[in-house]
């Protein structure tokens, strides 16, 4: 059974399926494999208190469904799902795997509920997602607690503080893993392995390889334990890579957030309702391009490209109640000049930017729930929707930094969740799920709840595939 201690749990061997990681994808794989009759060991690098990886910071997932249910207000079918994904990725996706993921997500909420997940209807500030995304009652932490409890009831063995350092892979076949716990190195053999250990976003040195010194100004929204060790080991052992190391799920978050683990409460959803300026007090992108669930994840990269990786979102009193607030209070001012002074921007420059923006806005019918007709005219960059003059004090400002959720460089997989070697052949007993393989589907951009979709779908597939390999190998022996 599971344990809250960091002491080694055993005996481990012989075990059928080793799962490396402790988030949503890992637990989905572990529960699925155990329900199929396999012995399962989960090695989670975090301590008990921080188990669950980035999944504990989530709120929802989107999944395919043909009709409304108790928490979703209407249908969400394959073509619309696919078009939404195509829009945010700009076509940078493996269509076969993406459509496969969408189809395999069909009504996965029922499976989740069977394993302890409780859902709730969308609340104020998330109504854009009421038809497409199911929200977890109690958030991701409650979901992960439920999954861990379910896994333990099933007989999954869970080892915390287990930092996997290396994999013994010979000719594309996994044999054992070496991990450290309590300062002691241990080796565990298994018939199959599921690697669900996340991206490399908490490894600042690796981020610098892609982003240079700018990475020092990035904030890592999630777990500090996702350092990419298993990704590096797999790539060094001839597994085919996929994705761009500069691409990631990056959102604009409150610059006052902690360096690691601030979670979803540090995100800012006010961008659509005002203007965003850089250190020069200049706008640099269309704040009203689309609804935040489809476009919010571009803003981390946009801010990363600005001087000193800093920007500022400014709204007025008309918009302060239209979005989910950050955990940090806004900076308040009675005039644009006062706001500039508080944000340490050039007052004249910000006043000019706001005056030009206000002059360019055109009358329309404002509707926060629709792609309305409130636009600008003759302004570069334009604002396509929700463009209203900033003219109603008090004004509110938020400093923005790039908030990295997870990186998209990962390992290539097939529809059975097997990792692919350099020559394209699948490794027979090495499976991957979650963030470490999400780059197959997310070449760029992001849409709310889709990371959990990928993790749930491929976690279950990996668990099934691992057991299938174990059964076949035992028959042959």
């Amino acid at each position: 059974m599971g344990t809250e201690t960091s002491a080694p749990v055993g005996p481990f061997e012989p075990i059928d399926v080793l799962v490396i990681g402790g988030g949503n994808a890992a637990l989905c794989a572990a529960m699925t494999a155990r329900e199929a009759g396999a012995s399962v060991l989960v090695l989670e690098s975090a301590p008990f208190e921080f188990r669950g990886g980035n999944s504990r910071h989530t709120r929802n997932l989107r999944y395919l469904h043909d009709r409304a249910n108790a928490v979703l207000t209407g249908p969400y079918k394959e073509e619309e799902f696919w078009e939404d994904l195509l829009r945010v990725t700009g076509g940078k996706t493996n269509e076969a795997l993406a459509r496969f993921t969408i189809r395999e997500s069909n009504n996965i909420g029922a499976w989740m509920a069977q394993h302890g997940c409780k859902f709730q209807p969308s609340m104020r500030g998330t109504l854009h997602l009421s038809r497409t995304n199911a929200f977890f009652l109690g958030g991701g932490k409650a979901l992960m607690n439920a999954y861990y409890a379910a896994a333990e009831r099933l007989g999954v063995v869970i080892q915390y503080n287990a930092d996997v350092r290396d994999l013994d892979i010979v000719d594309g076949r996994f044999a054992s893993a070496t991990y450290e716990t309590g300062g002691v190195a241990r080796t565990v053999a298994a018939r199959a392995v599921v690697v669900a250990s996340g991206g490399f976003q908490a490894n600042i040195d690796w981020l610098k390889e892609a982003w240079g010194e700018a990475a020092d100004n990035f904030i890592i929204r999630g777990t500090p334990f996702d350092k990419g060790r298993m990704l590096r080991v797999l790539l060094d052992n001839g597994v085919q890579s996929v994705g761009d190391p500069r691409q990631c799920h990056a959102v604009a978050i409150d610059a006052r957030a902690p360096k690691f683990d601030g979670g979803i409460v540090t995100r800012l959803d006010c961008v659509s309702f005002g203007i965003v300026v850089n250190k020069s007090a200049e706008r640099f992108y269309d704040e009203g391009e689309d609804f935040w669930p489809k476009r919010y994840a571009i803003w981390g990269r946009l801010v990363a490209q600005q001087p000193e990786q800093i920007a500022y979102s400014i709204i007025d009193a008309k918009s302060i109640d239209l979005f989910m607030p950050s955990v940090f209070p806004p900076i308040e001012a009675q005039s644009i000049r006062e706001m500039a002074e508080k944000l340490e921007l050039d007052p004249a420059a910000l006043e000019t930017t706001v005056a030009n923006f206000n002059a360019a806005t055109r009358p329309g019918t404002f509707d926060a729930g629709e792609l309305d007709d409130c636009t600008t005219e003759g302004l570069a960059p334009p604002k396509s929707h929700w463009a209203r003059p900033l003219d109603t004090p008090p004004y509110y400002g938020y400093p923005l930094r790039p908030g990295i959720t997870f990186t998209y460089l990962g390992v290539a997989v097939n529809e059975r969740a097997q990792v692919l070697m350099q020559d394209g052949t699948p490794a027979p007993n090495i499976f991957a799920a979650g963030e470490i393989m999400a780059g197959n589907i997310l070449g760029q951009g992001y849409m709310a709840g889709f990371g959990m979709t990928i993790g749930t779908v491929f976690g279950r597939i990996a668990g099934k595939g691992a057991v299938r390999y174990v059964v076949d190998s035992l028959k042959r022996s």
Side-chain angles (χ1 to χ4, degrees):
M1 299 291 288
T3 177
E4 297 184 14
T5 73
S6 60
V9 184
F12 290 144
E13 301 177 81
I15 62 168
D16 296 322
V17 179
L18 173 65
V19 178
I20 301 173
N24 172 60
L27 269 293
C28 288
M31 291 188 291
T32 301
R34 183 67 188 133
E35 287 174 326
S39 57
V40 181
L41 168 65
V42 171
L43 295 180
E44 161 67 298
S45 62
F48 174 88
E49 295 80 5
F50 292 95
R51 66 183 183 178
N54 283 345
S55 302
R56 73 187 200 281
H57 290 304
T58 61
R59 294 190 298 176
N60 63 84
L61 89 163
R62 66 177 61 213
Y63 65 84
L64 192 71
H65 52 279
D66 288 331
R67 60 186 61 86
N69 58 34
V71 295
L72 295 166
T73 59
Y76 191 43
K77 299 185 179 182
E78 181 177 344
E79 286 308 310
E80 182 185 3
F81 201 146
W82 164 247
E83 289 297 327
D84 285 345
L85 179 62
L86 198 63
R87 187 177 303 115
V88 299
T89 61
K92 292 184 179 180
T93 183
N94 179 321
E95 181 172 354
L97 276 183
R99 285 187 176 273
F100 174 76
T101 304
I102 291 169
R103 289 192 294 269
E104 288 294 311
S105 77
N106 187 32
N107 289 318
I108 55 175
W111 182 91
M112 296 173 67
Q114 292 167 5
H115 292 80
C117 177
K118 296 185 183 301
F119 293 101
Q120 67 178 18
S122 302
M123 302 177 71
R124 182 179 67 86
T126 63
L127 295 180
H128 295 125
L129 297 169
S130 63
R131 183 173 57 84
T132 61
N133 288 45
F135 282 76
F136 313 133
L137 180 64
K141 186 67 174 290
L143 172 68
M144 296 314 302
N145 286 342
Y147 276 2
Y148 271 98
E152 291 180 355
R153 285 195 300 270
L154 289 168
V156 173
V157 177
I158 301 164
Q159 172 71 68
Y160 300 105
N161 293 298
D163 186 14
V164 182
R165 306 302 298 164
D166 203 5
L167 305 177
D168 181 16
I169 299 173
V170 180
D171 296 328
R173 190 178 299 270
F174 167 80
S176 64
T178 301
Y179 70 100
E180 293 181 5
T181 183
V184 178
R186 298 179 180 272
T187 299
V188 57
R191 296 184 174 95
V193 65
V194 177
V195 184
S197 53
F200 66 88
Q201 63 277 355
N203 187 331
I204 304 301
D205 289 338
W206 197 341
L207 286 178
K208 283 184 176 181
E209 292 179 17
W211 286 91
E213 296 304 312
D216 281 331
N217 290 324
F218 294 175
I219 295 173
I220 313 308
R221 302 173 69 206
T223 176
F225 297 97
D226 279 4
K227 295 185 180 295
R229 178 67 185 177
M230 287 299 94
L231 173 58
R232 185 76 79 183
V233 168
L234 289 174
L235 298 181
D236 288 347
N237 277 276
V239 173
Q240 187 181 135
S241 69
V242 68
D244 180 346
R246 285 177 61 91
Q247 292 292 344
C248 51
H249 176 1
V251 305
I253 69 172
D254 199 301
R256 297 165 289 183
K259 183 67 173 179
F260 294 99
D261 232 15
I264 199 164
V265 296
T266 64
R267 196 180 81 196
L268 291 170
D269 296 334
C270 54
V271 165
S272 301
F273 302 119
I275 64 171
V276 178
V277 299
N278 58 20
K279 285 284 289 185
S280 300
E282 297 173 342
R283 293 177 60 248
F284 51 89
Y285 198 79
D286 181 350
E287 302 91 347
E289 188 173 50
D290 206 341
F291 289 119
W292 69 261
K294 299 186 179 75
R295 301 305 296 178
Y296 76 96
I298 69 169
W299 278 91
R301 292 182 61 82
L302 291 169
V303 175
Q305 294 163 359
Q306 299 306 305
E308 300 180 33
Q309 294 71 56
I310 188 79
Y312 306 89
S313 177
I314 302 171
I315 61 173
D316 68 5
K318 297 191 299 294
S319 300
I320 191 63
D321 293 324
L322 296 177
F323 56 91
M324 294 288 282
S326 164
V327 69
F328 299 99
I331 296 164
E332 186 174 335
Q334 293 301 315
S335 68
I336 295 300
R337 176 166 287 270
E338 182 187 0
M339 178 61 70
E341 292 169 349
K342 289 187 173 183
L343 297 179
E344 298 183 356
L345 300 174
D346 182 309
L350 185 60
E351 286 180 327
T352 297
T353 294
V354 172
N356 289 341
F357 173 79
N358 289 351
T361 58
R362 293 294 175 263
T365 303
F366 176 82
D367 189 337
E370 299 290 340
L371 295 174
D372 67 15
D373 60 353
C374 293
T375 66
T376 61
E377 183 178 312
L379 190 67
K383 186 170 183 184
S384 300
H385 306 284
W386 312 297
R388 296 189 294 177
L390 294 177
D391 59 6
T392 308
Y395 301 94
Y396 300 96
Y398 296 89
L400 307 177
R401 288 278 189 201
I404 312 301
T405 309
F406 66 92
T407 45
Y408 291 174
L409 176 69
V411 294
V413 298
N414 60 16
E415 290 185 357
R416 299 181 72 172
Q418 292 169 296
V419 302
L420 303 180
M421 306 306 290
Q422 289 289 351
D423 62 2
T425 61
N429 67 341
I430 307 175
F431 302 84
E435 293 174 0
I436 199 169
M437 49 67 61
N440 290 272
I441 300 158
L442 288 166
Q444 69 177 30
Y446 189 72
M447 58 184 181
F450 194 51
M452 291 295 285
T453 312
I454 295 171
T456 304
V457 166
F458 274 90
R460 294 172 64 197
I461 291 171
K464 291 176 185 176
V467 173
R468 186 183 303 114
Y469 171 83
V470 170
V471 171
D472 290 345
S473 63
L474 290 175
K475 286 180 180 177
R476 292 192 298 268
S477 61

